[in-house]
Amino acid sequence: MTITPPALSVFETLESEVRSYCRGWPAVFDRAQGARLTDEDGHSYLDFFAGAGSLNYGHNNPVLKRALIDYIERDGITHGLDMATTAKRAFLETFQNVILRPRDLPYKVMFPGPTGTNAVEAALKLARKVKGRESVVSFTNAFHGMSLGSLAVTGNAFKRAGAGIPLVHGTPMPFDNYFDGTVPDFLWFERLLEDQGSGLNKPAAVIVETVQGEGGINVARAEWLRALQDLCHRQDMLLIVDDIQMGCGRTGGFFSFEEADIVPDIVTLSKSISGYGMPMSLCLFKPELDIWEPGEHNGTFRGNNPAFVTAAAVLDAYWADGQMEKQTLARGEQVEQTLLAICAEEPTAQFRGRGLVWGMEFEDPARASAVCARAFELGLLLETSGPQSEVVKLLPSLTITPEELDEGLRTLARCVRETA
């Protein structure tokens, strides 16, 4: 398939230079269904990015679309601030019955605003309020959002520089395997905590991703996460897990931390929690941490009721019987076997991942961008990640068929060969 770049005049003349994804995918998209998008010229693209993980159940999922259309047609509430509505009640009851109770998770639910960074800001603010301390520890190559508090616990130098002011009260520590296994886990961190001369202010909390998506698909071991939780308990720090991209089934279980058998104090969710790509986020926390005063943290668009409708529908449709986790793990094995074969023929590449999030890292960072560019020419949407964009990131929808997944993986293998 040969794709001719469209005339993008209005985007180039009117839209800000800050736009990014459209530069790697120079097409004007018009329709989407399942794992495929179609541009205005009729070209079809297989989507291995899924809205940066906000479309775990595919584009315009028919089950969710039907629930949404029915709700809109009966004039259900669209914008509700934090008022009680039937849509919010249905979501909360479904979330409690399908997700929280079966996992014996005691969390209270907060609607902090529509995006992931809103949830992170709420988590940081709550941790500081509970502990009465300012410092929060994050990890090398972390990404937690683009607002100032979230940027302060983000590792990427390019994104941090965009703040334009000093980013304070955040302290980075080495993520799992940062020293390639040559240094014991948390040796530096714990030494700083115990040394009265270290200069490290006692942290209120530690925030971590179990798999660093934007950081390059860096997967934390279950034993590392358990040791981190133990350290937090011993040192009177709260453990925050940012599950914005890796939650909602991306790694297999609904929460990415389930495999490690830990129970974070605070959890942030967004992206695929609405199921349909609509803005929605949650901040979950243990009941004893719920010390908010009414209205102390609010936001105009935290009551997106159509998102509540699709969120409840997706939990009922995909999470009530345990089959989604099994399917995701099976699809993940399919990806892993293909990447194993590709890397056996390509000595400059290595891969890592869990569930349906995988990354292929190249020694030459430019190679990853070349692979993604060639993939677009062949009708496959891929993105890069990592501090130097050296990792090709695979993030297909959880509902992708085995045949579609195989098609995309074969295209990926071709792109790797053709860019060698």
Side-chain angles (χ1 to χ4, degrees):
M1 176 174 66
T2 301
I3 297 170
T4 303
L8 300 173
S9 57
V10 70
F11 306 106
E12 293 173 344
T13 59
L14 190 59
E15 191 178 1
S16 166
E17 292 298 320
V18 78
R19 66 192 188 280
S20 61
Y21 293 121
C22 57
R23 298 179 188 276
W25 303 331
V28 178
F29 296 102
D30 181 50
R31 292 174 289 114
Q33 210 289 314
R36 297 185 186 275
L37 293 89
T38 305
D39 69 18
E40 63 181 354
D41 295 323
H43 298 123
S44 177
Y45 303 80
L46 187 59
D47 188 0
F48 263 35
F49 193 55
S54 62
L55 294 164
N56 281 3
Y57 312 97
H59 296 268
N60 287 305
N61 184 291
V63 175
L64 311 185
K65 180 165 63 175
R66 184 72 266 158
L68 180 60
I69 290 172
D70 289 346
Y71 183 76
I72 292 172
E73 286 186 338
R74 73 168 185 81
D75 291 330
I77 298 291
T78 296
H79 182 274
L81 295 169
D82 69 354
M83 296 183 292
T85 66
T86 54
K88 181 193 282 189
R89 180 174 61 199
F91 166 72
L92 285 171
E93 290 176 346
T94 305
F95 189 65
Q96 182 177 49
N97 293 332
V98 175
I99 302 300
L100 297 181
R101 279 181 178 160
R103 292 162 178 79
D104 196 26
L105 295 172
Y107 297 131
K108 298 289 289 292
V109 178
M110 175 184 179
F111 300 99
T115 71
T117 199
N118 294 138
V120 170
E121 295 285 356
L124 298 176
K125 185 188 291 187
L126 180 59
R128 288 169 172 143
K129 180 178 174 67
V130 168
K131 291 300 182 182
R133 309 181 206 128
E134 297 176 354
S135 177
V136 173
V137 167
S138 57
F139 291 95
T140 49
N141 290 312
F143 178 77
H144 296 289
M146 297 298 281
S147 52
L148 293 181
S150 300
L151 278 176
V153 290
T154 286
N156 186 282
F158 173 74
K159 293 180 172 64
R160 289 175 62 87
I165 61 171
L167 296 171
V168 297
H169 310 307
T171 303
M173 289 291 166
F175 191 71
D176 190 16
N177 205 38
Y178 188 71
F179 294 109
D180 300 319
T182 61
V183 177
D185 296 338
F186 308 115
L187 176 67
W188 172 244
F189 190 3
E190 194 150 21
R191 180 68 181 270
L192 290 178
L193 288 169
E194 294 176 350
D195 183 357
Q196 295 301 306
S198 71
L200 176 66
N201 294 329
K202 181 78 171 183
V206 174
I207 185 167
V208 67
E209 304 154 275
T210 65
V211 180
Q212 294 181 327
E214 297 303 308
I217 319 300
N218 305 312
V219 182
R221 294 166 296 140
E223 56 267 33
W224 186 86
L225 292 167
R226 287 192 290 270
L228 177 60
Q229 177 177 257
D230 180 62
L231 177 62
C232 288
H233 289 170
R234 287 187 284 108
Q235 295 287 346
D236 188 33
M237 302 179 296
L238 297 179
L239 176 60
I240 305 169
V241 168
D242 180 340
D243 234 4
I244 288 166
Q245 188 169 83
M246 298 305 154
C248 303
R250 175 55 57 182
T251 64
F254 185 84
F255 296 104
S256 70
F257 55 81
E258 291 180 47
E259 180 190 48
D261 194 27
I262 63 173
V263 180
D265 299 293
I266 304 176
V267 180
T268 59
L269 289 174
S270 187
K271 291 195 181 285
S272 276
I273 187 61
S274 79
Y276 204 72
M278 288 188 289
M280 177 179 170
S281 75
L282 304 178
C283 186
L284 313 177
F285 38 83
K286 293 179 178 178
E288 62 269 24
L289 305 181
D290 193 9
I291 63 171
W292 293 113
E293 296 291 336
E296 190 174 9
H297 187 94
N298 57 26
T300 303
F301 293 100
R302 65 197 185 281
N304 186 356
N305 281 254
F308 297 157
V309 171
T310 54
V314 84
L315 297 179
D316 275 331
Y318 291 100
W319 290 99
D321 61 3
Q323 292 305 305
M324 176 56 71
E325 180 174 356
K326 295 177 182 177
Q327 176 177 300
T328 298
L329 294 175
R331 301 282 193 275
E333 290 179 5
Q334 184 179 348
V335 176
E336 184 175 13
Q337 291 305 308
T338 299
L339 295 183
L340 189 65
I342 293 174
C343 289
E345 298 181 1
E346 177 50 72
T348 68
Q350 56 181 337
F351 71 94
R352 52 188 176 265
R354 276 179 60 195
L356 273 177
V357 52
W358 293 86
M360 178 178 290
E361 180 179 354
F362 292 91
E363 290 180 5
D364 178 7
R367 182 81 177 282
S369 296
V371 167
C372 291
R374 180 58 178 145
F376 175 78
E377 294 173 350
L378 297 174
L380 176 66
L381 301 184
L382 288 171
E383 252 294 349
T384 61
S385 70
Q388 296 181 296
S389 298
E390 72 277 19
V391 177
V392 174
K393 184 178 186 179
L394 280 65
L395 210 67
S397 65
L398 308 185
T399 52
I400 193 169
T401 67
E403 294 76 21
E404 290 169 328
L405 190 57
D406 183 63
E407 176 189 340
L409 292 170
R410 282 187 280 107
T411 301
L412 171 63
R414 175 181 172 182
C415 294
V416 172
R417 288 194 303 271
E418 292 183 357
T419 56

